[in-house]
Amino acid sequence: MNQKIDCFIAYSGQQETQNTINLLRKSQVVQSIFVLSASPVQLEGSQNLTISQPQSTATINLIAANLNADYALLGLQATQLGLGQWALERMMQLAEGSKAAMLYADYFEIKAGERSNHPVIDYQAGSLRDDFNFGPVQLFSQQSVKSFASENYPDWQDAGLYALRLHASRLGEILRVPEFLFSMTETDTRLSGEKQFDYVSGNARQKQIEMEEACTDHLKKINGFLQPNFKSVEFDQDFEQEVSVVIPVRNRIKTIKDAVDSVLSQKTSFPFNLIVVDNHSTDGTTELLKSYDDERLIHVIPESTDLGIGGCWNEAVYHDSCGRFAAQLDSDDLYFDEQTLQKVVDKFYEEKCAMVIGSYQMCNFKLEEIPPGLIDHKEWTPENGPNNALRINGLGAPRAFYTPILREIRIPNTSYGEDYAVGLAISRTWKIGRIYDAIYRCRRWEDNSDASLDISRQNAHNAYKDSLRTYELKARLNLNR
């Protein structure tokens, strides 16, 4: 094995970084080691590169200027790195054989002194989200890094590494090594539900703008960019009800009454109903729903016992009583006030769109606002929202659909990502209207389905949404031919 690696690692403290350097120096495939830091540091066996932001365009360009080996190993997270047996040699062996543009691997995660397996997932064409987990290090071919520097990317502070990954994907394959080759100390020990909204916290908006620019640039270069040439919708079919609120529910005795009452208290200029699809509840939810004496409430118990949330939605959408528009409400949540349905329907007619997405306020079980507060998905713009939808993991809530189009598309029978799948499909052809004011209360509590997911569930969810993006990207590529 004659080819070599130059290693570029973020400074994570004097002793921690020196420990990582000492491990890297033991490998015969390592040619040089560079430590990236905000201020000058001196560590034995390494050279120092001073940077301002580890994932900026300037940092990637600096790495390219100092890269002399055949491959660059990037470890830009400020954490102590551990290497498994022959880890770098194994990466090099697979890189040389596959001629991949980039490789990454499964790793061990160390939290509070305990080591656990952290497998990652395979990269695919639709893995365009900027939070894809590649583990603590990535191995890039020299061509990927050097050619990135020659492209003259904008001076992004946060999107440089993201743009490098997208750039590499256009040059060759990005491959996962399904072996635990590295370890890292994890300092963020929050539950999955607590991390979910980091992208809207603090100064995240500027970062999101940069990520959008990088993704849009990538889509244009692969001919997957979608021009905003939307079909307008004529609402010319007759419906007895103007809108039906759809609530799929299973065993939500603690919250379903609040959800139902928030619908039945709506003040509108049109007739509406509520279709609750009770997915064989066993905790008293069924009996509570039967206790309502309101003809607007339609209580449906499906014959099928294999339905996910999407399947329950299909039961409602194809019900004879479904209205012109179908509006979403989760069984944990509530509408913000008595005007929510009116605002949603008004938006449909104002923009002649096939789908409307609102904004929601995060709150606790007592309906007290909690950080980060308003989730308004401002990354959705009329001009670029359909393209940005391929980068983000969700489109917002509440969601409402023009029923004939929803019946045409159908909803995947899953309990995760089913709404995102429909939103992607609609965005390819029709306009999606947006309401940026809070019209929905999203209640976070310990029984939320995404409050605390183990790594296998997180991976399954992410892989599914990546696959949705892959299929949607293929459809757009075919559309643009």
Side-chain angles (χ1 to χ4, degrees):
M1 189 178 296
N2 297 321
Q3 294 190 314
K4 298 290 185 180
I5 299 174
D6 282 343
C7 303
F8 298 84
I9 60 173
Y11 181 75
S12 58
Q14 193 75 11
Q15 190 56 55
E16 292 85 353
T17 311
Q18 188 64 63
N19 292 341
T20 299
I21 293 168
N22 294 342
L23 285 176
L24 293 171
R25 290 177 64 190
K26 291 179 181 179
S27 173
Q28 294 184 356
V29 299
V30 171
Q31 178 171 283
S32 300
I33 301 171
F34 297 88
V35 175
L36 310 176
S37 60
S39 56
V41 295
Q42 291 187 339
L43 291 152
E44 184 181 352
S46 70
Q47 302 173 56
N48 181 222
L49 299 176
T50 304
I51 62 168
S52 57
Q53 296 288 342
Q55 299 195 2
S56 68
T57 305
T59 294
I60 305 302
N61 288 338
L62 184 63
I63 289 171
N66 285 274
L67 174 61
N68 292 307
D70 306 283
Y71 291 90
L73 185 79
L74 303 192
L76 301 187
Q77 299 183 53
T79 180
Q80 183 169 324
L81 179 67
L83 273 67
Q85 184 185 57
W86 308 116
L88 297 183
E89 287 77 6
R90 178 62 171 157
M91 290 281 275
M92 282 289 292
Q93 178 188 33
L94 296 174
E96 289 183 25
S98 65
K99 303 303 180 187
M102 173 185 153
L103 271 73
Y104 62 104
D106 295 349
Y107 63 100
F108 295 114
E109 188 175 62
I110 301 171
K111 287 184 180 180
E114 295 290 325
R115 192 183 78 169
S116 60
N117 293 352
H118 195 124
V120 289
I121 62 176
D122 291 329
Y123 193 85
Q124 49 185 307
S127 299
L128 297 175
R129 55 195 167 85
D130 50 70
D131 63 351
F132 191 99
N133 183 9
F134 292 104
V137 299
Q138 304 86 47
L139 185 72
F140 287 90
S141 68
Q142 184 193 81
Q143 181 195 9
S144 296
V145 180
K146 292 284 190 182
S147 60
F148 175 90
S150 67
E151 289 275 332
N152 295 317
Y153 284 93
D155 186 23
W156 291 315
Q157 294 303 298
D158 295 291
L161 181 60
Y162 175 57
L164 173 62
R165 175 246 289 193
L166 296 176
H167 178 84
S169 74
R170 298 193 297 272
L171 298 180
E173 290 185 288
I174 294 180
L175 297 179
R176 167 189 167 222
V177 182
E179 302 167 15
F180 296 93
L181 298 182
F182 304 96
S183 65
M184 66 172 284
T185 301
E186 178 59 74
T187 56
D188 187 350
T189 58
R190 294 175 298 160
L191 299 176
S192 59
E194 296 173 314
K195 300 177 183 178
Q196 187 177 359
F197 299 100
D198 283 353
Y199 69 98
V200 296
S201 302
N203 62 351
R205 181 65 192 132
Q206 184 55 43
K207 177 180 178 180
Q208 290 296 306
I209 291 172
E210 289 189 2
M211 297 296 188
E212 177 180 355
E213 291 173 353
C215 186
T216 301
D217 173 75
H218 172 71
L219 290 173
K220 288 179 177 179
K221 287 175 177 174
I222 64 172
N223 200 31
F225 180 80
L226 198 63
Q227 297 288 349
N229 300 322
F230 306 112
K231 278 188 188 176
S232 8
V233 181
E234 299 299 331
F235 307 114
D236 51 5
Q237 297 189 33
D238 292 330
F239 286 86
E240 193 171 313
Q241 304 292 327
E242 184 69 1
V243 60
S244 292
V245 176
V246 177
I247 304 180
V249 63
R250 177 176 169 82
N251 294 342
R252 280 293 184 265
I253 189 64
K254 292 181 181 179
T255 58
I256 186 61
K257 187 178 187 304
D258 290 341
V260 169
D261 290 348
S262 83
V263 176
L264 298 181
S265 65
Q266 290 294 297
K267 307 296 184 187
T268 66
S269 62
F270 46 77
F272 70 89
N273 62 15
L274 166 61
I275 304 176
V276 181
V277 184
D278 178 4
N279 201 5
H280 307 282
S281 296
T282 58
D283 68 342
T285 294
T286 301
E287 290 71 23
L288 188 152
L289 290 168
K290 287 180 177 179
S291 72
Y292 275 86
D293 183 20
D294 192 317
E295 63 180 10
R296 295 174 298 171
L297 172 56
I298 300 168
H299 181 200
V300 177
I301 300 177
E303 291 184 11
S304 299
T305 57
D306 62 348
L307 298 183
I309 292 173
C312 290
W313 257 87
N314 286 325
E315 292 284 315
V317 169
Y318 284 91
H319 196 280
D320 290 342
S321 298
C322 189
R324 186 187 314 277
F325 305 110
Q328 166 254 346
L329 179 61
D330 288 349
S331 57
D332 291 335
D333 303 330
L334 303 89
Y335 286 147
F336 193 81
D337 56 29
E338 296 175 345
Q339 304 302 315
T340 290
L341 284 185
Q342 186 70 54
K343 291 176 182 177
V344 169
V345 170
D346 288 348
K347 180 61 69 172
F348 272 111
Y349 286 102
E350 175 189 336
E351 300 199 15
K352 294 188 179 298
C353 50
M355 179 178 179
V356 169
I357 304 174
S359 301
Y360 56 95
Q361 179 195 68
M362 301 296 300
C363 60
N364 60 21
F365 195 80
K366 298 178 181 178
L367 303 183
E368 299 165 333
E369 183 174 343
I370 59 175
L374 179 68
I375 308 295
D376 55 14
H377 281 277
K378 284 187 176 177
E379 67 273 1
W380 184 278
T381 61
E383 301 78 20
N384 204 39
N387 297 297
N388 215 8
L390 289 175
R391 180 185 65 84
I392 56 179
N393 241 0
L395 301 180
R399 300 165 290 276
F401 310 88
Y402 180 45
T403 298
I405 289 177
L406 193 55
R407 287 173 174 172
E408 176 184 330
I409 291 174
R410 296 188 182 87
I411 305 164
N413 182 27
T414 66
S415 290
Y416 177 81
E418 73 290 335
D419 52 333
Y420 183 62
V422 174
L424 285 178
I426 287 176
S427 72
R428 191 190 325 148
T429 304
W430 294 282
K431 186 176 184 179
I432 295 179
R434 283 301 323 271
I435 299 173
Y436 294 103
D437 297 323
I439 59 171
Y440 192 87
R441 296 186 194 274
C442 183
R443 185 151 52 181
R444 307 300 294 177
W445 59 307
E446 64 274 7
D447 281 357
N448 282 134
S449 58
D450 57 357
S452 179
L453 300 178
D454 61 27
I455 188 58
S456 63
R457 289 283 301 282
Q458 292 179 54
N459 281 348
H461 284 181
N462 284 325
Y464 178 63
K465 281 196 172 178
D466 282 356
S467 73
L468 293 177
R469 282 183 281 266
T470 294
Y471 280 112
E472 179 61 26
L473 180 59
K474 289 180 182 292
R476 295 182 184 191
L477 290 170
N478 287 328
L479 188 65
N480 288 340
R481 282 180 180 166

